[in-house]
Amino acid sequence: MSDTTARIRDELLDSITETFGMRVTDATQIDQGFLNLKWKLETDHGNLFVKQYSKIRYPEHLVNGLEVSLTHQDHLHRQGIPTPQLFSHQGKYVLRTPSQERYVLMRLCDGNSIEPGSANEQQMYALGTVIGQMHKLLNTNTAPLPLHWDIRSKEDMQKLWEKRYLQAVTKRCDDIVAALEIQRGIIDETDTGIFAHCERGWGHWDLFVDNILFSSDTVAAILDFDRLHFVYPEFDVSRPLLSCALSGDRIRLDEVHAFVTGYREYNPLSADKLVRSIKLTWWKEAEWITVPQKNEFTPLIRFREENNWVAAHWDHLHDIFAGI
């Protein structure tokens, strides 16, 4: 542990004791996630989780957005969605040390992480019901807001592609060059009008296996609501499906059907909407097909695999999911 990390840890623990009157008996660092520092805490108030917000990843102007996202998390927890219970102080969920280190404190949830592509049918059904209910709670009688992220135009996609392609050719990354050539064909041939009817609303926007805890046949917790924004909730359909049900080069259709069945208990989800959702995530994440960087965020490797699978099956997705 670096001196800086140790200093931040000590500041956070002192702040937690001062603010909430808790006695922390042990702090175990969790080496997961991007830039933010995290610890599992043993305290006289039970097991907790604390996350420090990196000033690089979350500069000060993003803190108000974090407050909105965490407010939604607290609301979902109170409505029975399996999310961690948050601690607040003076009406704020983003807490601060005297030196202005920002952090969030919550109950530690039981449950287990799974390997990508390994969820069973019962887990996928439970996940579908949780996400469906979450979307219903978030988006019933919701006033429309400006989108936090909108769909890139074909022209913008082409410009971004050209930069990545030139880099891949220069670095002689043959596998990335081949993937990008397939990607360019899809970009050139796709009419972005296929996304015109994507529903707008609040979505978690980061639902992959690292942010989901399972028990043997249920969802123990949905984690990390920091990216919850007013976007396209359809991301929350395709992102967990690809993360949990794509194994190697095969999508596990029984597990997909279980997820869709659970989701439909709360919201409509046709096969056409499912395919549109998958293409929407592909369009958003096409930028991950690029020359790998040293010590890059590990989930990006998996995101590339998922994006390449969708690209390889782009023209046949309706056939693959027709019976769902």
Side-chain angles (χ1 to χ4, degrees), residues 257-272:
H257 185 267
F259 176 94
V260 172
T261 299
Y263 189 89
R264 283 173 177 162
E265 293 183 7
Y266 295 92
N267 295 287
L269 181 55
S270 65
D272 286 344

Side-chain angles (χ1 to χ4, degrees), residues 89-134:
H89 179 65
Q90 296 180 346
K92 299 290 186 180
Y93 298 103
V94 179
L95 310 171
R96 295 175 184 266
T97 70
S99 72
Q100 297 303 299
E101 289 291 349
R102 295 85 44 83
Y103 68 97
V104 63
L105 181 67
M106 62 190 77
R107 295 262 175 220
L108 189 71
C109 294
D110 294 329
N112 302 296
S113 297
I114 64 168
E115 291 297 315
S118 67
N120 62 41
E121 287 186 52
Q122 292 78 16
Q123 291 170 335
M124 290 299 286
Y125 169 77
L127 184 59
T129 61
V130 167
I131 296 173
Q133 186 180 8
M134 180 177 73

Side-chain angles (χ1 to χ4, degrees), residues 77-93:
H77 173 81
R78 294 172 187 275
Q79 295 298 314
I81 300 297
T83 67
Q85 179 186 356
L86 293 165
F87 288 80
S88 64
H89 179 65
Q90 296 180 346
K92 299 290 186 180
Y93 298 103

Side-chain angles (χ1 to χ4, degrees), residues 159-171:
K159 289 177 183 177
L160 290 170
W161 180 91
E162 288 165 2
K163 293 179 181 178
R164 290 181 286 119
Y165 186 75
L166 177 60
Q167 183 188 40
V169 170
T170 302
K171 297 286 187 179

